[in-house]
Each structure stands twice: as structure tokens, then as C-alpha cells.
Amino acid sequence: MDELETLASLLAVSNCVVVLTGAGISTPSGIPDFRGPQGLWRRVDPEKFTIEHFFADPDEVWSLFVNHFVVGNAEPNSAHMALATLEEWGKICGIITQNVDGLHQRAGSKRVVELHGSLKYAVCTSCGSKYPLADVLKEYRGVAPRCKICGGLLKPDVVFFGEPLPRDAWEEAVSLAQVSDLFLAVGTSLAVAPANRLPYIAKSSGAKLAIINEEPTELDHIADVVIRGKVEAVLPRLVQLTTYYLKGPSRGDRPL
Ligand code: NAD
């Protein structure tokens, strides 16, 4: 049995699969990741996305953000769709995402915990008012936008380096990790804390850990199953194979 078959057979007997996704699930949709071979950190200094630098030079950070982060017309891909299908089958009880692109929801996933915020809004750093980011961008003229209510500085509603995670999202993620029987990390280098603590939390609560990623990750050594490959190919194939294991080998031909 190869690793993909092992994972499909595990999935078939799991009742609460929790998935942690990272930027690698959205690269097939045309959104670059940070640390992969074509990653953003090869072009932009990560230090520019600390919260300290945002307040020191908000015009520069907004301009980098608009040029490198805004996802335009990106569409969900086959990996997002495969996860939505597994949720529809009642296998997945939640997706925890480090992504800010909203593509899981667009693919039809219902329970999505956004650990690092989202590109939907900009938030006032003084009074907390929120504005749809699309509206803010329509008026963006190269200068950091300001709050229409109090004049405070607006910030994209995503978590910058050095900022805490939204508390509710983190608590929900921890609860999901604790109740999962299979924890699946997909398209993430597992290099970013505290998201990379979730696999440990799941494992210590009794879950199996599986990792699907193109490159080695920081937690391969504690995983029960590691699949090195492209998410857009591996996940649809996993759905296919899981169907086979759900039916039982006697009822249906094994997919090629
Ligand atoms: P990361 O850049 O650290 O890791 C992405 C991993 O995905 C890499 O190891 C890479 O090898 C792998 N990968 C890339 N394309 C793949 C593919 N097609 N198939 C399989 N694996 C693939 O990203 P991360 O772990 O998510 O953490 C970094 C931060 O990136 C997060 O905080 C997240 O907020 C942010 N981010 C989000 C987006 C987005 O919303 N789409 C885009 C860039 C960065």
C-alpha cells in the first residue's frame, strides 16, 4: 500500500477530519506562497510585513500589499473543491486556514476558521471600524487609506508578523484539533507559529497526523503519513480512492 492509499483508508474510517491549509493550496489558483520556490519572499523582504514596519511606513506597506497580496480574480482550484466534497460527505468537520484569500468558502466549504484574517476587509487601527477592502481599493491612490469616521489609519484585516491571532479563531482551531481523529496539513511549510502547534495538539489528543506538501515540512518527522506532491493532483485522487475504501474493496473497481 502506498502513502496515498494509506491516507485514503485512514480517511474512510475517520469521523472528524480537521484540515490545516496554507498558501500552497492556493498556488494552483495563481496566488504565490511565501516560502516555496516561486514564493513571495524571493521578491519582497518579509520584514516589511511586521506590524512595527506597517506603522513606521504605512504608505510603503499598502503599496506592497496592493501589488503583491490582492488576489484579483483568483478562483478555487481542484484541491479546494476536493476538501469541500469531503466536508459534504461528513468527513471533514472543519478547515483551519492560514490563508486570507477566501477560496475555501468560494469552493463551498462551510466551517472555515481563518487564523490570519481575510482580504475581505480593511480595519481602522484607531476605532476598529471595518470597510470592505474592495471599496477601499477603488479609492486607493498610492497613499495609506484613512478611516472615514475617525481619520485613523486603515490596515488590511490580515495578521501582520508580530500581531496576535484573532482570539476566537485560535480558540476554535484548538478545539477542532482536540476533537479530530485525523489531522491533515495541506500546502503549508508548517514554519509559522502558532499555527504549527496545532498538529502537536491534535496528536497529543489522539489524532493521526498526515501531511501533503510539495516540499519537506518542519513536522514531517512526527507525521503518520507524508505525501510529497502537488495538492491539486493529490487531493482529487484522495477523494477518488476514499470512495473506493468507503464502498469496500468488494463493491466497485479500484480506481487506477
Ligand atoms: P508557506 O509559503 O510557508 O508554505 C507553503 C508551502 O506550500 C511550501 O512548503 C510549498 O512547498 C508548498 N506548496 C506550494 N505550492 C504547492 C502545491 N501546488 N502543492 C503542494 N505544495 C505546495 O505558507 P504557509 O505555510 O501558509 O505560511 C505562511 C503564511 O503565508 C501564512 O501566514 C499565510 O497567511 C500566508 N499566505 C497566504 C496566502 C493566501 O492567502 N493564498 C498567500 C501567501 C501567503
Side-chain angles (χ1 to χ4, degrees):
M1 203 185 258
D2 68 14
E3 294 286 276
L4 190 59
E5 294 201 34
T6 306
L7 180 53
S9 59
L10 265 176
L11 234 159
V13 297
S14 300
N15 295 311
C16 177
V17 182
V18 170
V19 186
L20 172 66
T21 63
I25 197 168
S26 293
T27 58
S29 296
I31 305 171
D33 60 13
F34 281 169
R35 295 175 183 77
Q38 315 298 326
L40 201 55
W41 292 164
R42 296 185 190 246
R43 284 170 283 141
V44 181
D45 178 0
E47 289 296 318
K48 303 278 183 193
F49 293 99
T50 61
I51 192 65
E52 291 77 17
H53 187 69
F54 175 76
F55 284 113
D57 194 347
D59 290 349
E60 183 192 24
V61 177
W62 264 96
S63 148
L64 287 170
F65 180 78
V66 169
N67 287 319
H68 295 286
F69 268 82
V70 174
V71 299
N73 298 323
E75 295 290 334
N77 62 60
S78 57
H80 297 105
M81 300 306 228
L83 294 182
T85 302
L86 290 173
E87 184 179 351
E88 210 178 289
W89 291 354
K91 281 288 164 195
I92 288 182
C93 48
I95 294 177
I96 304 163
T97 189
Q98 300 167 85
N99 295 346
V100 293
D101 54 34
L103 292 183
H104 286 300
Q105 293 90 330
R106 300 237 332 258
S109 291
K110 300 280 182 287
R111 186 166 183 194
V112 181
V113 181
E114 292 177 314
L115 278 186
H116 294 163
S118 112
L119 286 175
K120 251 180 150 169
Y121 298 104
V123 61
C124 174
T125 54
S126 298
C127 73
S129 299
K130 284 197 179 187
Y131 299 85
L133 185 64
D135 294 351
V136 172
L137 291 178
K138 273 185 212 146
E139 294 176 12
Y140 175 73
R141 299 287 178 271
V143 175
R146 295 269 161 187
C147 178
K148 288 192 173 19
I149 297 165
C150 75
L153 179 63
L154 294 188
K155 182 180 88 66
D157 196 16
V158 300
V159 176
F160 279 59
F161 292 121
E163 278 192 297
L165 302 195
R167 184 201 282 247
D168 290 356
W170 176 249
E171 286 176 358
E172 193 177 352
V174 169
S175 308
L176 278 170
Q178 285 169 336
V179 297
S180 66
D181 50 12
L182 173 61
F183 192 91
L184 182 57
V186 174
T188 168
S189 60
L190 293 169
V192 177
N196 63 1
R197 278 174 41 207
L198 293 166
Y200 286 104
I201 294 172
K203 273 214 92 157
S204 63
S205 309
K208 299 271 189 210
L209 172 64
I211 295 177
I212 304 174
N213 203 60
E214 198 172 10
E215 296 178 297
T217 80
E218 310 246 333
L219 299 188
D220 288 356
H221 63 286
I222 63 156
D224 299 283
V225 183
V226 176
I227 297 174
R228 223 29 88 62
K230 298 257 186 202
V231 293
E232 64 274 32
V234 172
L235 280 172
R237 175 86 180 126
L238 183 64
V239 169
Q240 240 185 1
L241 275 174
T242 305
T243 320
Y244 168 74
Y245 281 103
L246 282 170
K247 282 186 193 157
S250 59
R251 300 179 50 205
D253 293 329
R254 194 186 168 291
L256 292 172

